[in-house]
Amino acid sequence: MTTQTLNQTIEITPFEGPLGAEITGLDLSQPLADDDFKRIHRAHLDHHVIVFRDQRITPEQHITFSRRFGPLQIHVLHQFQLSGHPEILIVSNVMENGKPIGLGDAGHFWHSDLSYKETPSLGSLLHAQELPAEGGDTLFANMHLAWDTLPQALRDAVEGRFAEHTYLAKYAELQKRSPWRPNLSAEQIAQVKPVVQPIVRTHPETGRRALFVSEHFTTRVIDMPEDESRNLLQALFDHSVREEHLYRHQWREHDLVFWDNRSLMHLAAGTPDHLRRKMYRTTIEGDTPF
Ligand code: SIN
């Protein structure tokens, strides 16, 4: 039996502001025609965050759609994989039987997913399962704009330079404040050795340049005295998250949000402790940054 793929009546509506677009008229539980896939791919490159409304999809369908963009990465915190679907990381503040069911403080600091790996993520897809009545927003910062608008003195300071990214950079600090950071095994620690990335990267598909440092994972500028490195990174972090570079996503039921980790950083704004939030995330592998 052959599966028929029909073109759907997709509408792509860019948001006002520095990034993002909404996609309606698409049902990702149905097979996706190649033409539709191409339009979605183009929208992702043009807008950096695309919001698919009202996606009543299963974890398998979430994984299948994500895989069209590349192989999926498995998060080092295997404790929070969805049972039977290691490609899905549960992001949640919910506790069951006294134990967290997911990573509740994912996104507490600005970051680009998996920048601490030699091949960081191309993009991530976060699907709303359970949303709080208030809070729970996700913020995105356009790192192309951050580079384009960077003052010349800072551009000169970072051009051609590299920085270290470490998964463990804030781990102990997060572990002190929350129940979501288990002690890591030797095997997990071995999976997240520090890596060195260019401070300014070139998007492999669009050729646009972007700042590629984050508050969460970037620890130091290579070959620079410690004080100078700290001050420089702080100036880059502050500039990156200026209001005019940001989009705040206020979640609706069944939203599926797909962002480009090569173009953006993101931050989870936080959920009040007494409210439940549960999301499923897939993470697509990207290229070695250059
Ligand atoms: C993440 O950093 O992947 C989680 C973002 C969120 O929960 O809003």
Side-chain angles (χ1 to χ4, degrees), residues 86-235:
E87 303 86 351
I88 290 188
L89 173 75
I90 305 174
V91 173
S92 180
N93 65 351
V94 174
M95 306 282 282
E96 274 172 13
N97 305 319
K99 282 173 72 178
I101 64 162
L103 185 58
D105 60 1
H108 179 79
F109 296 104
W110 283 102
H111 68 288
S112 166
D113 287 330
L114 277 60
S115 73
Y116 52 83
K117 305 280 273 185
E118 271 168 26
T119 49
S121 165
L122 175 158
S124 307
L125 294 101
L126 195 63
H127 189 217
Q129 306 295 313
E130 196 176 341
L131 294 174
E134 59 180 275
D137 298 350
T138 309
L139 277 76
F140 296 92
N142 185 330
M143 299 300 273
H144 295 302
L145 276 185
W147 169 249
D148 293 345
T149 59
L150 196 67
Q152 192 60 45
L154 286 175
R155 281 181 166 231
D156 293 342
V158 299
E159 187 69 76
R161 287 216 175 245
F162 293 80
E164 184 180 80
H165 292 231
T166 315
Y167 179 68
L168 300 177
K170 301 263 190 214
Y171 202 86
E173 182 182 334
L174 288 168
Q175 203 171 30
K176 267 193 226 131
R177 340 174 3 257
S178 83
W180 294 297
R181 298 281 161 172
N183 289 328
L184 298 174
S185 67
E187 196 196 331
Q188 285 172 310
I189 291 171
Q191 279 177 42
V192 291
K193 295 211 180 81
V195 298
V196 167
Q197 307 286 17
I199 293 180
V200 190
R201 72 178 293 185
T202 304
H203 194 291
E205 295 187 82
T206 64
R208 285 189 73 185
R209 302 189 81 200
L211 270 184
F212 193 56
V213 286
S214 77
E215 181 193 21
H216 194 159
F217 298 127
T218 312
T219 47
R220 67 189 176 95
V221 179
I222 303 296
D223 294 332
M224 188 174 270
E226 203 180 315
D227 271 12
E228 210 181 310
S229 160
R230 193 175 327 108
N231 293 339
L232 177 55
L233 287 176
Q234 193 58 52

Side-chain angles (χ1 to χ4, degrees), residues 91 106-107 111 113 126 136-138 251 259 266-268 277 279 281:
V91 173
H111 68 288
D113 287 330
L126 195 63
D137 298 350
T138 309
W251 290 85
W259 62 84
H266 60 283
L267 175 84
R277 181 177 188 263
M279 323 290 273
R281 192 183 97 187

